[in-house]
Amino acid sequence: MAAKVLVVDDEIEMTSMLRNYLTREGYEVETTNSAEAALECLEDHEADVVLTDLRMGEMDGMDLVRAVHASRPETQIILMTAFGGVETAIEAIKAGAFHFVAKPVKLPEVGVLLTKALAERDLRHENRQLRQAVKERYSFGQLLGKSASMQRMFALLERLATTQSTVLIQGESGTGKELVARALHLNGPRSRHPFVPVNCAAMPEGLLESELFGHVKGAFTGAEIARKGLFQEAAKGTIFLNEIGEMPWGMQAKLLRVLEQRQIRPVGSDREVDADVRVLAATNRRLEAEVQKGNFREDLYYRLKVMMVRVPPLREHPEDIPFLADTFLQRYTAEMKVGPRRFTRETLNCLETYSWPGNVRELSHVIERAVTLCDEEWIREADLGLETDPGALAGAPGWPPTLAMTEDASNLNLDQVTERLVIAALERSHGHKGRAAALLGVHPRTLTRMMRRYSIPEDADAEGG
């Protein structure tokens, strides 16, 4: 199929000349004599490339570039003008133009530019398709991850999504527990019905009971009308009890009764109401420890943990950081409608070696901040705004270690010294491979190869990364 070109110029002779030339070259060509007419034309006719003059009537070519780029980012735009110089060219490209050509135009030059513009469009399309294919392969709902630990979790979620079982989701703040709950809901048989999230830590016990189960008229002061609770609002769907570890003791007993009998009792009522709803719960606490402390009911804990999902902290799958960072980068550049952004090698290394106490949520916020504040194509380390430098551990007391403390270094060959340094770095970083790599001054992938060479178990980072 022939590529479609829209030529926009208020000089009729110019549009005629370009139409004749481009038609001979095998393009489908439409022409208009104003930017306003071009936008109307694009409503009815798709264009692969817009070739537009700069100086035209009330709406000039630069305005047209911005309008087309905002509404049709896949359309390539080439700006023609007899005016301006480097500044105009830079402005045009920042506005979204593919290239800039000076008048009087040379037809072969226009032909070459069109070929390059179409090649660029095809490359972007292929990249989008590839990113989409990668996302589908390495995602479950809005959760993303290539690592073995995330893939195992996705496989478990696929199985749990089709069941009606109550599921307990455990994980640190920022790991994506609510995303797990939403993914279970959206991929299950209740997906067409409501998903109702509740923050159990945000309400006192009396209010929480009324919110969850509803109340009858006159149940308490101010209860002038009867009100349905969130369990009833979630009918046939899913209710998500976030921060269930913060639920008051008295409410825990009432929730256990609901899970066992599948009925609720509104506050002030003496009648039970059926609760056709799936219950998902999440916590960032270790509930077994809370049971031992007497803060959480043992019977409720065992009722919840029959089906349990642990969401790993980001430090346990640092190999996902580049993939996640790039995904967030693409998302925020598209949302903010800014030009392409890329990470420098140093920036990516900083992302890979940072400890991420706030997990994936923190990574997302850091990338959003960088895209917002960076005015250049390349995002640098300073744009991230990270307050700590994990690599600074390399300068801490006791590093590098003194091998002579344990045995005569003169008896060790280079491989033995290197192996001991790798082990020492992993121990000092509590198993976090990204931070161990920073201590050694190598890339994390290099450290992985070194670990394999010296038969150091790959799961040595189970504690911290």
Side-chain angles (χ1 to χ4, degrees):
M1 183 181 294
K4 300 174 182 178
V5 180
L6 173 61
V7 178
V8 188
D9 199 310
D10 56 3
E11 296 180 15
I12 297 178
E13 292 181 1
M14 176 61 72
T15 56
S16 178
M17 179 183 71
L18 287 169
R19 175 196 285 275
N20 292 337
Y21 170 73
L22 295 175
T23 301
R24 289 197 304 271
E25 292 295 309
Y27 295 101
E28 287 186 24
V29 184
E30 294 283 343
T31 63
T32 69
N33 299 117
S34 71
E36 293 87 349
L39 292 176
E40 291 181 8
C41 180
L42 288 171
E43 293 294 329
D44 300 319
H45 303 87
E46 291 296 325
D48 298 301
V49 182
V50 173
L51 184 61
T52 179
D53 189 24
L54 176 61
R55 298 287 180 88
M56 298 181 298
E58 293 183 7
M59 184 178 185
D60 65 11
M62 201 70 76
D63 293 329
L64 179 61
V65 170
R66 295 188 183 95
V68 173
H69 182 65
S71 61
R72 294 171 173 79
E74 292 189 4
T75 300
Q76 300 290 74
I77 311 163
I78 298 173
L79 194 66
M80 306 178 294
T81 184
F83 307 93
V86 175
E87 294 81 5
T88 304
I90 292 174
E91 184 183 357
I93 292 171
K94 282 186 174 180
F98 169 72
H99 216 288
F100 175 95
V101 61
K103 282 186 172 183
V105 298
K106 298 175 182 178
L107 294 178
E109 182 182 357
V110 172
V112 170
L113 280 177
L114 282 173
T115 300
K116 290 182 177 179
L118 290 168
E120 174 73 11
R121 181 209 59 178
D122 292 343
L123 180 60
R124 289 183 183 180
H125 181 67
E126 289 174 6
N127 286 341
R128 274 192 296 273
Q129 287 185 319
L130 179 60
R131 283 197 297 270
Q132 182 61 31
V134 168
K135 184 177 179 181
E136 290 174 358
R137 180 179 177 185
Y138 298 121
S139 67
F140 188 82
Q142 292 184 319
L143 296 157
L144 300 170
K146 294 182 178 182
S147 63
S149 60
M150 292 299 287
Q151 290 294 304
R152 286 194 295 270
M153 187 180 78
F154 294 165
L156 175 61
L157 294 179
E158 284 184 10
R159 298 182 67 177
L160 293 179
T162 59
T163 73
Q164 302 289 335
S165 301
T166 300
V167 178
L168 175 62
I169 305 163
Q170 290 189 305
E172 296 178 7
S173 295
T175 51
K177 298 186 292 296
E178 183 166 342
L179 294 182
V180 169
R182 289 184 182 275
L184 287 171
H185 171 73
L186 292 174
N187 288 274
R190 295 177 179 266
S191 60
R192 294 186 179 182
H193 300 287
F195 175 87
V196 179
V198 185
N199 187 342
C200 298
M203 290 175 277
E205 181 172 354
L207 181 58
L208 181 60
E209 182 178 6
S210 175
E211 284 291 311
L212 290 178
F213 305 145
H215 60 258
V216 299
K217 181 179 179 180
F220 49 82
T221 303
E224 298 179 357
I225 59 173
R227 182 178 177 276
K228 288 184 177 180
L230 296 178
F231 267 86
Q232 288 171 286
E233 288 186 15
K236 298 184 179 180
T238 302
I239 189 165
F240 173 51
L241 303 176
N242 200 5
E243 305 299 347
I244 196 169
E246 311 295 329
M247 180 175 280
W249 182 270
M251 276 300 302
Q252 293 176 29
K254 293 171 183 176
L255 175 62
L256 177 64
R257 190 165 180 272
V258 171
L259 294 177
E260 292 178 340
Q261 299 185 5
R262 294 293 166 182
Q263 290 184 322
I264 62 170
R265 177 179 293 179
V267 177
S269 175
D270 57 1
R271 299 181 59 185
E272 305 286 348
V273 178
D274 289 339
D276 180 11
V277 60
R278 186 181 191 182
V279 178
L280 304 177
T283 180
N284 59 10
R285 291 178 177 268
R286 293 182 58 219
L287 289 188
E288 58 268 40
E290 296 302 308
V291 169
Q292 293 175 359
K293 294 176 185 176
N295 296 330
F296 200 84
R297 292 183 63 99
E298 185 176 24
D299 48 5
L300 177 58
Y301 170 62
Y302 285 112
R303 181 65 180 79
L304 290 171
K305 73 167 290 187
V306 174
M307 298 294 178
M308 189 162 63
V309 175
R310 178 181 179 270
V311 189
L314 189 52
R315 65 179 178 276
E316 289 187 10
H317 53 111
E319 60 269 41
D320 281 327
I321 291 173
F323 172 55
L324 291 168
D326 184 65
T327 301
F328 294 141
L329 184 65
Q330 301 302 327
R331 176 191 301 173
Y332 291 125
T333 52
E335 286 181 2
M336 299 179 195
K337 298 180 180 178
V338 297
R341 296 286 186 269
R342 303 177 189 178
F343 298 117
T344 65
R345 179 63 262 172
E346 294 75 18
T347 302
L348 196 55
N349 186 60
C350 178
L351 291 171
E352 291 177 314
T353 56
Y354 182 64
S355 59
W356 300 111
N359 293 297
V360 177
R361 181 191 295 140
E362 182 185 9
L363 175 60
S364 174
H365 291 169
V366 165
I367 303 304
E368 181 180 11
R369 176 187 185 278
V371 172
T372 301
L373 299 181
C374 182
D375 293 325
E376 302 176 356
E377 178 180 357
W378 292 97
I379 293 178
R380 306 186 185 280
E381 232 178 301
D383 298 317
L384 300 177
L386 296 176
E387 296 180 359
T388 59
D389 178 13
L393 286 172
W399 184 266
T402 303
L403 296 175
M405 290 191 304
T406 55
E407 60 181 292
D408 187 352
S410 64
N411 293 329
L412 302 178
N413 61 34
L414 182 59
D415 266 349
Q416 291 171 320
V417 172
T418 304
E419 179 183 358
R420 282 159 175 73
L421 281 172
V422 170
I423 293 171
L426 286 166
E427 289 177 349
R428 185 173 180 83
S429 61
H430 303 290
H432 189 297
K433 284 196 288 190
R435 300 182 72 181
L439 286 170
L440 295 167
V442 300
H443 190 277
R445 285 192 288 270
T446 302
L447 174 61
T448 298
R449 289 195 295 270
M450 294 167 76
M451 292 173 67
R452 290 172 182 167
R453 176 176 179 176
Y454 300 120
S455 300
I456 299 172
E458 295 265 352
D459 60 357
D461 61 339
E463 289 291 327

